Every structure is written in C-alpha cells, then in structure tokens.
C-alpha cells in the first residue's frame, strides 16, 4: 500500500476530541509515576488531550530508539513502528521495502503469515504504509496478548526480513521479467511495479515534476512509491543497502496505544530487538537541494494511449516557497488553506466562473526543505495555466484585503461538526492516529509535534 501526502486532518482531529471526551482517561496524578524499564530512559511525560491519554516518551539507552506510550481506556490497542525513509530516487525503494518486509522474517519465515494473521479473531487492523518521508507499520488488536505477539512479528519483520538473504522476494515484490508463454513477448511484472503502473497517473507525475521544479535536487521531488519507468532500475543491492541504512532502531519511533497492562512485556520485547544494534547518527540534510532564486515555470508531457481524449486533461501546479515560517504561521497556514478550499471561498467561486471544467485546491507542506503553499488544479487545458496563476494571485490579494467573512468560517465549523458525527463511528482510532503522530515526528523532528498541533 502506498499513501500519498496525508495532510493534517483537521476534521478527523475534532472528531477524536469528541469521541474521547467521553472516555475516562488517566489523570496527571496517576501519570506522575511513570515506571522505569530496563534498557530505557524516561524522557518526558505529558497529557495527550485529544485522545485523553497519558503520554510517556522513553529512549532506548543503547540505540536511541524512541518509544511513546499513549495510555487511555481504549481496548482497541495498537502498536506501530515507523522509520524515517527518504526517497533517494524514483525507483520506489521505500515502497518495495514496505511490501518486502512483510514477506517473511527470520523468526516468521512463512510468506503467507501476514495474510493468515490479518484474519484472526481480535485482530482489528494490520497494515503497512509508505509516505513521502516515512514508512509505518501499525497493527491493532482487542486482545493485549495477541498484540504482543503481533508486535513480535512486526519487529522481526522490519529488523530481520528474509528479503536480506532471499532475492526471490525482490523479484516477487519489486520487478521481474515474465513470459506468458515461450514465444510471448518479455513483460515486466512484480507487485509494486504492477501497483504503480496502475497508480501512476498524470496527477502523480505532475506532483513529482512540480516538487522537482520547486525544490531542485531535493528528495521531496522523488517518487517514494516508484515511477514505473524507473522501478526496473532498482537492484536487489539497492534494497538491502536501504535496509542497512534506514531500518535501524536509532531511526525509529515505536508507539503503543490504548489500555495497557503488559507494558513491561512490550518494553522488554522492543529492548530485545533494539539491543542487537549499535547506536547510529541519523541526519537528513537533503544535500543536493539547490533553492530556486526566481519564478520558474516548466511544462511536462504525459504519454497517453493513442486516440485518448486529452481535452481538459492537464494538471497544473503552482507553489510558493515561504521563508522564516514559525509554528504559529503553520497553524494559520493550515486554517487559511482549509478556508480557501471551501466551496464558498472567493478562490473556489472564481474557479467556477472562470475555469468551470476544472477543480482546484491548496494545502501547505512542511515536509519539503522549505515550507510551501501549494495550489493545484485538474480538468483544464495546459494553455490555461496562466489564467489559473492569475486567479490564485487575485484570490490571495482578495484575502489580504478582505479577510474571510464570518459565514465562511462558520461554514467550516459546521462541516467539521457533521464530519465529526460520522467519524465518531470509526472504530480504529489507534491505527489512524499513530501514523499521524509518526508522520509529524518525521516532518518536525519532535515526537510531540502532532500532540501540540492538535491540543493547541
Ligand atoms: Zn503498495
């Protein structure tokens, strides 16, 4: 599975607040006595109000691996381990690795175990996801005993995957040549190759071309899922080297969530896996990035099948690099982009009038080497890119001069409340929350980044 940029889901957060406002949580007084666990140093204790949880951060002494405990009364307990995994090129190594890790490990060599396990009683969620900056492995169960066994399975899979010795997993998951019959043409196959061939639309291509243009040389322009044109450039060694480089405890964050009575067992389990490694320094410098110094415009072609209707088939991206952005600015930017996306906003209304076939939106990005506000539109012709740019500029000037009207802000609040009622039905709070916490940690460098973001 591969997930594209997940933005801070404001609606979802508010829903969680509502949901957990109802659950009894641990008080700060109880939290004051965070226990010590062999091999770990207690770093920090706080309250994660959003999910009414006591948050305790530990650091593994030998490796610096981070472990965050989020304790509340939710019996749908979740374990998640994440690694910061930059995409160093367009071959999709992080994505292939995500698939390959669950293809068997030293202790659990059966390749079908993942699928067998995911159908067991009590198991509520089992997955792995690659994003642009990290790979995450969340798993949930209503039984704590079962979750402990699953955590063992996940930890062994990420740290000791069979892939390291078994090149057949590479050709299975990444790419290989296949022959349907003896004299059939040679064809490319492989789970990720096939998945990405389907997923690599003009939108995907436009997104990466855009980031390559806005942030030249930066890893943020690379396809973390894999560009089908480049996937076959990947070698088995690329994959094993990637594991050696990034699947290391010093580069990981593990999170345990829910009603926990076997914390000592979980901590001991993690210690046993982490301790096999020596501490390693990780710095993510994005060393080939060369900032642009002036307005830049680039057009890319996208191949389609002969005879396809290409009218209104273009994708247009427009971004602004922001300098000197503070945490507060990020908050404002988040709200601002949410409001601009509202159907009643000046921007959307003008879109409707002037580019009626198109649909557009915007968001702010804090995973790029510098923070950016990004507008994009689909359903227009390439020649209309200039019209789109003018419209965006005009909308920004309109906001500067007029602000937002109260009605628009209230409309956002009302939509949030509605969404909230629907999301409160959602059973998988842990599996949804933990990857967001890990994502914010990767983007921000602070384990509490998400917590601060939502609790403020
Ligand atoms: Zn996938």
């Amino acid at each position: 599975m591969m997930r594209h940029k997940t933005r801070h889901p404001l609606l979802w957060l508010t829903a969680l607040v509502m949901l957990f406002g109802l659950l009894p949580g641990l008080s700060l007084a109880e939290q004051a006595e965070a226990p010590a666990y062999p091999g770990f140093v207690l770093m920090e204790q706080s309250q994660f109000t959003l999910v009414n949880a006591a948050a305790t951060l530990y650091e593994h002494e030998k490796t610096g691996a981070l472990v965050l405990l989020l304790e509340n009364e939710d019996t749908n307990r979740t374990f998640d381990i994440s690694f910061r995994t930059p995409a160093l090129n367009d071959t999709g190594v992080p994505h292939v690795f995500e698939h390959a890790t669950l293809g068997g490990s030293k202790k659990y060599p059966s390749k079908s175990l993942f699928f067998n396990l995911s159908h067991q009683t009590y198991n509520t969620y089992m997955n792995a996801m690659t994003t642009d900056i990290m790979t995450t492995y969340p798993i949930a169960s209503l039984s704590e005993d079962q979750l402990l066994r699953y955590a063992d399975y996940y930890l062994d899979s990420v740290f000791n995957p069979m892939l390291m010795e078994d090149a057949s997993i590479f050709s299975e998951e990444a790419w290989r040549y296949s022959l349907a019959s003896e004299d059939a043409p040679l064809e490319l196959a492989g789970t990720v190759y096939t998945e990405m061939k389907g997923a690599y639309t003009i939108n995907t291509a436009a997104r990466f071309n855009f980031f390559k243009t806005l942030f030249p040389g930066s890893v943020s322009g690379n396809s973390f899922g894999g560009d089908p044109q480049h996937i076959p450039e990947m070698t088995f060694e690329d994959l094993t080297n990637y594991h050696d480089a990034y699947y290391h405890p010093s580069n990981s964050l593990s999170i345990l969530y829910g009603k926990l009575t076997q914390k000592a067992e979980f901590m001991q389990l993690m210690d046993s896996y982490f301790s096999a490694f020596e501490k390693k320094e990780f710095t993510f410098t994005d060393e080939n990035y060369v900032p642009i110094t002036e307005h830049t415009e680039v057009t890319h072609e996208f191949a389609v099948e002969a005879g396809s209707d290409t009218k209104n088939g273009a994708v247009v991206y427009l971004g602004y690099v922001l300098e000197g952005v503070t945490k507060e600015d990020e908050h404002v930017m988040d709200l601002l982009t949410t409001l601009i996306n509202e159907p009643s906003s000046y921007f959307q209304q003008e879109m409707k009038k002037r580019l009626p076939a198109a649909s557009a939106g915007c968001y702010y990005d804090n995973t790029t080497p510098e923070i950016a506000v990004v507008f994009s539109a689909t359903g227009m012709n390439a020649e209309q890119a200039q019209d789109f740019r003018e419209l965006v500029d005009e909308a920004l000037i309109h906001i500067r001069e007029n602000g937002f009207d109260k009605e628009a802000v209230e409309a956002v609040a009302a939509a949030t409340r509605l969404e909230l009622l629907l999301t409160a039905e959602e059973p998988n709070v842990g599996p949804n929350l933990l990857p967001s916490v890990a994502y914010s940690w990767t983007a921000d460098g602070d384990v509490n980044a998400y917590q601060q973001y939502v609790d403020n």
Side-chain angles (χ1 to χ4, degrees):
M1 187 197 207
M2 189 204 48
R3 200 191 249 185
H4 280 281
K5 282 199 137 21
T6 45
R7 299 316 314 156
H8 289 140
L10 263 184
L11 303 179
W12 162 240
L13 305 176
T14 336
L16 283 169
V17 174
M18 281 288 281
L19 179 60
F20 279 89
L22 308 171
L23 289 176
L26 297 174
S27 72
L28 271 172
E30 286 170 76
Q31 198 192 343
E33 304 159 25
Y37 297 105
F40 291 90
V41 183
L42 173 66
M43 301 297 285
E44 219 181 321
Q45 285 178 271
S46 59
Q47 198 73 22
F48 199 155
T49 319
L50 172 73
V51 289
N52 211 9
T56 317
L57 179 67
Y58 291 91
E59 190 180 299
H60 188 241
E61 271 175 310
K62 190 179 173 205
T63 61
L66 295 171
V67 176
L68 178 65
L69 305 182
L70 292 175
E71 293 174 74
N72 62 15
E73 296 295 305
D74 193 348
T75 51
N76 190 15
R77 301 162 183 92
T78 312
F79 172 78
D80 178 55
I81 183 162
S82 308
F83 300 89
R84 293 173 288 192
T85 52
L88 305 178
N89 52 44
D90 284 322
T91 62
V93 171
H95 185 195
V96 170
F97 210 91
E98 171 226 307
H99 278 256
T101 30
L102 300 175
S105 67
K106 248 183 214 155
K107 192 169 167 188
Y108 302 98
S110 162
K111 286 186 192 182
S112 53
L113 190 65
F114 178 75
F115 295 99
N116 295 339
L117 282 177
S118 60
H119 290 108
Q120 285 192 6
T121 329
Y122 304 123
N123 168 242
T124 62
Y125 190 91
M126 188 170 225
N127 212 338
M129 281 160 273
T130 312
T131 74
D132 51 347
I133 52 173
M134 60 111 190
T135 307
T136 190
Y137 298 83
I139 184 159
S141 173
L142 293 166
S143 151
E144 196 173 1
D145 287 328
Q146 191 183 50
L147 187 67
L148 189 61
R149 289 196 297 274
Y150 283 168
D152 185 40
Y153 166 61
Y154 263 32
L155 286 163
D156 201 55
S157 298
V158 295
F159 289 120
N160 309 311
M162 291 230 300
L163 163 78
M164 300 306 281
E165 282 123 45
D166 184 354
S168 77
I169 297 175
F170 167 81
S171 41
E172 182 68 32
E173 300 295 342
W175 69 274
R176 64 180 182 275
Y177 289 112
S178 87
L179 273 176
S181 66
E182 224 173 278
D183 25 59
L186 208 53
E187 279 183 3
L188 281 164
T191 313
V192 168
Y193 178 78
T194 310
E195 180 190 330
M196 292 315 294
K197 241 188 125 184
Y200 216 82
T201 61
I202 186 170
N203 296 307
T204 318
R207 178 194 178 277
F208 289 114
N209 285 331
F210 167 72
F211 280 108
K212 279 185 164 77
T213 309
L214 194 64
F215 299 110
S218 164
V219 293
S220 61
N222 294 332
S223 167
F224 52 94
D227 177 342
Q229 280 197 339
H230 293 287
I231 291 174
E233 291 161 15
M234 189 195 313
T235 64
F236 178 55
E237 285 68 34
D238 290 340
L239 211 54
T240 52
N241 289 342
Y242 196 80
H243 182 267
D244 290 340
Y246 296 105
Y247 276 67
H248 190 288
S250 307
N251 187 38
S252 74
L253 168 65
S254 301
I255 313 174
L256 198 52
Y257 164 89
K259 190 180 168 73
L260 306 169
T261 61
Q262 302 181 46
K263 282 179 281 180
E265 288 84 347
F266 278 99
M267 295 303 269
Q268 197 192 355
L269 178 72
M270 283 185 266
D271 179 44
S272 71
Y273 279 99
F274 298 161
S275 292
F277 293 79
E278 298 302 324
K279 191 172 188 160
K280 197 171 144 187
E281 279 310 317
F282 279 86
T283 40
F284 295 86
T285 48
D286 209 0
E287 54 197 16
N288 298 321
Y289 166 53
V290 184
I292 51 170
T293 50
E294 56 187 17
H295 169 75
T296 307
E297 217 171 291
V298 181
T299 306
H300 292 269
E301 305 281 318
F302 185 81
V304 291
E305 264 176 59
S308 303
D309 180 10
T310 56
K311 189 170 178 265
N312 290 327
V315 177
V316 180
Y317 266 87
L318 171 62
Y320 300 88
V321 179
L322 309 179
E323 283 168 5
V325 175
T326 65
K327 279 263 138 66
E328 287 77 60
D329 293 339
E330 281 195 52
H331 252 82
V332 173
M333 220 75 74
D334 199 19
L335 184 62
L336 189 74
T337 47
T338 307
L339 285 163
I340 292 173
N341 286 330
E342 280 303 302
S344 60
S345 75
Y346 177 86
F347 172 69
Q348 295 292 359
Q349 290 296 318
E350 288 301 306
M351 277 298 299
K352 230 193 236 168
K353 271 184 237 160
R354 288 145 68 174
L355 295 165
S359 61
C362 71
Y363 76 98
Y364 89 97
D365 200 318
N366 65 348
T367 66
T368 39
E370 287 163 272
I371 286 182
V373 169
V374 179
F375 286 82
S376 64
T378 57
M380 63 165 76
N381 292 314
E383 308 80 67
Q384 291 171 306
Q386 204 49 40
D387 300 338
F388 181 62
R389 187 184 167 201
E390 279 163 24
L391 198 155
V392 169
D393 283 341
E394 223 180 280
L396 293 175
I397 291 167
H398 186 268
I399 293 167
R400 192 177 65 198
E401 287 171 357
N402 305 289
F404 289 99
D405 61 44
K406 209 165 157 251
E407 266 175 49
V409 179
E410 274 165 9
V412 169
T416 307
R417 277 193 296 276
L418 178 66
E419 191 80 6
L420 188 153
L421 288 170
L422 299 171
T423 328
E425 305 293 313
E426 165 68 54
N428 278 325
V429 174
N432 282 306
L433 176 72
L434 273 40
S436 294
V437 173
Y439 191 87
S440 294
W441 161 68
T442 312
D444 188 283
D446 184 352
V447 170
N448 295 321
Y450 194 70
Q451 188 176 336
Q452 282 156 4
Y453 172 80
V454 299
D455 280 350
N456 282 336

